[in-house]
Amino acid sequence: MAKLPPFPGTTGRRDWRTAFDAIRKLLSNGDDTTQVFRIMRALNVGNAPMNYARFIATEEGGRMAYERVELAQRFTDKAFVASFAPGTVGAAYRNFLETTGYSADGLAEISKINREEDMPHPYAWFGRRVRDTHDIWHVLTGYKADESLGEAALVAFSYAQVGGLGWAFIGGAAALKSLKVTGGTLFARAVWEGYRNGRKAKWISGEDYLTLLHEPIDAVRARLNIVTPTAYLHAQRELGAELASYLSASKADKAAPAPERAAA
């Protein structure tokens, strides 16, 4: 694997003070997604060149890197989103957007606390690509986006897929706090399962999403070896809505509207 230079302007040092401040705020309010991006910036040192090198080494990665499609722009194009046939990944993603009220541009806006996000640089473009496909990963894995459990499990899955200590820090902290809040290990086991399932799956960041969205969702899951998250589904049933979303009081309050959030 080629070794690429670091992200311009970075020191190569992790900012633990910022990370601990951000995780404290995130664990107090799971809807404060700004803290997720603070943690990523503080801890994901060296992650960008590693993943970009892996991406351009894939069969189609060089072409996609050359074309540099901004996925958030495509995913907010109503005609594009409406074009997917029933049973496809795109149709499931469209249903996800309609039922949650989330949007790719909302996610992008929250992430802009990091100045690197909009840089005209290959690493920044790849980072936006990972960010903009987060909700598609929710669709593919079956982890709900509007609950703490689903987000924590997908965070662990993401750590297994793309590395970056920030993902592990968030997932681990949520799982540890859950031991006290829920009085058991169901939540933590689901998070650990997310990591293991991420390790088993094919590297999803190397996919051509503009093609993948038109494929049957069951076929894509089989091709990418994305397995059914049995521990997660069990925890979801046993914990119920309130404890499955213990990080967010608003999630437990079914009368409250879902806030526009970005991913964990």
Side-chain angles (χ1 to χ4, degrees):
M1 183 69 66
K3 183 174 177 59
L4 298 181
F7 207 118
T10 59
T11 65
R13 297 176 181 176
R14 293 188 173 94
D15 182 357
W16 285 103
R17 178 175 294 182
T18 294
F20 277 106
D21 177 69
I23 198 66
R24 177 180 58 80
K25 292 177 180 177
L26 183 63
L27 292 179
S28 296
N29 177 10
D31 298 326
D32 186 3
T33 313
T34 297
Q35 304 309 322
V36 171
F37 292 101
R38 290 183 68 208
I39 293 167
M40 294 303 166
R41 183 178 185 183
L43 298 184
N44 283 6
V45 174
N47 194 243
M50 177 191 72
N51 280 302
Y52 189 74
R54 184 176 183 181
F55 181 68
I56 61 177
T58 64
E59 184 174 351
E60 294 294 323
R63 172 187 61 80
M64 289 185 282
Y66 180 79
E67 293 172 349
R68 296 194 310 277
V69 173
E70 294 289 348
L71 293 179
Q73 296 176 6
R74 298 304 303 275
F75 296 165
T76 53
D77 181 340
K78 293 182 179 179
F80 177 72
V81 174
S83 69
F84 303 116
T88 61
V89 177
Y93 177 59
R94 180 173 63 234
N95 181 67
F96 171 92
L97 296 176
E98 291 171 349
T99 56
T100 63
Y102 297 161
S103 65
D105 55 352
L107 187 60
E109 188 62 32
I110 295 174
S111 74
K112 289 181 180 178
I113 63 160
N114 292 344
R115 66 176 183 83
E116 294 90 351
E117 285 290 331
D118 288 329
M119 285 181 64
H121 191 282
Y123 298 166
W125 169 80
F126 185 79
R128 293 191 295 272
R129 193 173 187 273
V130 173
R131 175 200 69 194
D132 296 339
T133 56
H134 176 84
D135 285 339
I136 293 175
W137 287 27
H138 271 297
V139 169
L140 290 173
T141 59
Y143 295 128
K144 287 187 67 177
D146 54 353
E147 67 174 16
S148 306
L149 180 63
E151 284 288 8
L154 187 60
V155 160
F157 184 99
S158 299
Y159 175 59
Q161 283 277 306
V162 298
L165 192 58
W167 295 110
F169 191 61
I170 295 170
L176 285 173
K177 184 175 179 179
S178 76
L179 298 176
K180 179 178 180 181
V181 175
T182 68
T185 61
L186 289 173
F187 191 111
R189 288 180 182 179
V191 173
W192 175 243
E193 178 191 56
Y195 172 77
R196 289 189 288 107
N197 287 353
R199 294 273 294 178
K200 293 175 185 176
K202 181 181 176 182
W203 196 56
I204 308 174
S205 291
E207 291 293 304
D208 181 346
Y209 286 92
L210 299 184
T211 298
L212 178 146
L213 285 166
H214 289 279
E215 297 179 46
I217 189 168
D218 289 339
V220 170
R221 286 170 173 156
R223 177 171 64 79
L224 298 179
N225 196 31
I226 299 174
V227 299
T228 301
T230 54
Y232 163 74
L233 294 174
H234 175 65
Q236 195 180 49
R237 289 192 303 268
E238 294 298 315
L239 293 173
E242 183 173 357
L243 287 181
S245 285
Y246 81 87
L247 292 175
S248 173
S250 64
K251 294 294 191 301
D253 181 0
K254 296 303 181 181
E260 179 59 54
R261 74 87 188 83

